[in-house]
Amino acid sequence: NAGVTQTPKFQVLKTGQSMTLQCAQDMNHEYMSWYRQDPGMGLRLIHYSVGAGITDQGEVPNGYNVSRSTTEDFPLRLLSAAPSQTSVYFCASSFGGFNSPLHFGNGTRLTVT
Amino acid sequence: SQQGEEDPQALSIQEGENATMNCSYKTSINNLQWYRQNSGRGLVHLILIRSNEREKHSGRLRVTLDTSKKSSSLLITASRAADTASYFCADAGGTSYGKLTFGQGTILTVHP
């Protein structure tokens, strides 16, 4: 199993550009989520999904959109990139339920200039 | 949000020594989890302790949970250079599973 796969690994955008960060998992996990990691801030939840067709906002959703059309994929869309969105983005998945640990991808490092 | 706090922010020890990291959280939890992050990589789940458990072991890892103090600690015994990483606690509270709230992490450096 590949686990959680994120693409691209690195991306540089100009302010105002849009892009989609891809996330795919092959573990048949129901739950998927997106976090951003900034220095000194830990990880903050952006959006999450408890199953195909169901998404909800996390702690810092502004400027991001998500959709979940299949169990495997959970793309994160930046609508109009801003320098404040410079961060490392992690996708994670789990079977669901309170005691299911998260499986993380290796992240996408995004720089917005 | 119920952002946890971790202490210390950085810890530097010699191989063979024990490393202890502490975590505090703010509200009631279903469980508390610890994750490790090697530089440039995603987080890897280490251990989960449920709210009705007080201590749990996994290999060289020992986790304790004190719900009255809203705190947890992670002990790594007989540290190795390969244990060098950032360690994060994450609490699973609220009513939506998977919405983990992460602490800011402890950077552990183990010198050979």
Side-chain angles (χ1 to χ4, degrees):
Chain A
N1 288 348
V4 179
T5 303
Q6 290 185 238
T7 56
K9 287 186 169 54
F10 302 94
Q11 183 71 48
V12 179
L13 291 178
K14 295 187 188 303
T15 298
Q17 288 184 317
S18 62
M19 79 159 295
T20 300
L21 307 185
Q22 301 292 345
C23 176
Q25 52 90 12
D26 61 359
M27 296 173 283
N28 201 30
H29 284 171
E30 286 297 316
Y31 178 88
M32 296 185 74
S33 56
W34 277 100
Y35 286 86
R36 58 177 289 174
Q37 183 177 31
D38 302 293
M41 300 288 290
L43 279 81
R44 292 181 292 169
L45 182 64
I46 305 171
H47 284 286
Y48 66 99
S49 168
V50 298
I54 306 168
T55 63
D56 206 347
Q57 296 181 349
E59 181 186 354
V60 288
N62 292 340
Y64 308 95
N65 269 1
V66 292
S67 60
R68 184 96 180 268
S69 56
T70 67
T71 299
E72 294 78 18
D73 300 299
F74 191 44
L76 178 72
R77 297 182 187 84
L78 279 69
L79 308 172
S80 177
S84 61
Q85 294 179 305
T86 293
S87 188
V88 182
Y89 291 85
F90 289 99
C91 179
S93 71
S94 77
F95 281 111
F98 283 108
N99 294 314
S100 294
L102 292 180
H103 297 254
F104 282 83
N106 282 325
T108 294
R109 185 174 295 273
L110 175 68
T111 302
V112 183
T113 61
Chain B
S1 74
Q2 46 188 33
Q3 189 80 35
E5 295 181 1
E6 295 189 56
D7 168 58
Q9 290 187 338
L11 182 60
S12 181
I13 59 174
Q14 297 294 126
E15 245 183 347
E17 294 180 339
N18 295 341
T20 300
M21 289 158 265
N22 303 297
C23 167
S24 62
Y25 56 92
K26 295 181 180 176
T27 62
S28 62
I29 59 171
N30 294 289
N31 64 61
L32 192 128
Q33 303 178 33
W34 286 89
Y35 289 80
R36 183 188 74 226
Q37 184 181 35
N38 290 94
S39 181
R41 308 281 290 183
L43 280 71
V44 174
H45 180 259
L46 293 176
I47 194 166
L48 180 153
I49 185 165
R50 302 185 187 206
S51 59
N52 61 353
E53 296 176 314
R54 292 297 167 258
E55 186 171 314
K56 200 162 183 180
H57 297 254
S58 177
R60 294 184 295 113
L61 306 180
R62 171 178 170 253
V63 169
T64 61
L65 180 65
D66 187 336
T67 53
S68 66
K69 295 181 180 177
K70 293 187 169 58
S71 67
S72 175
S73 67
L74 172 67
L75 168 67
I76 304 174
T77 59
S79 296
R80 305 166 182 168
D83 294 327
T84 294
S86 294
Y87 291 82
F88 294 87
C89 68
D91 60 79
T95 57
S96 294
Y97 61 76
K99 289 180 69 176
L100 297 184
T101 301
F102 284 83
Q104 295 178 6
T106 293
I107 301 171
L108 172 66
T109 304
V110 182
H111 300 280

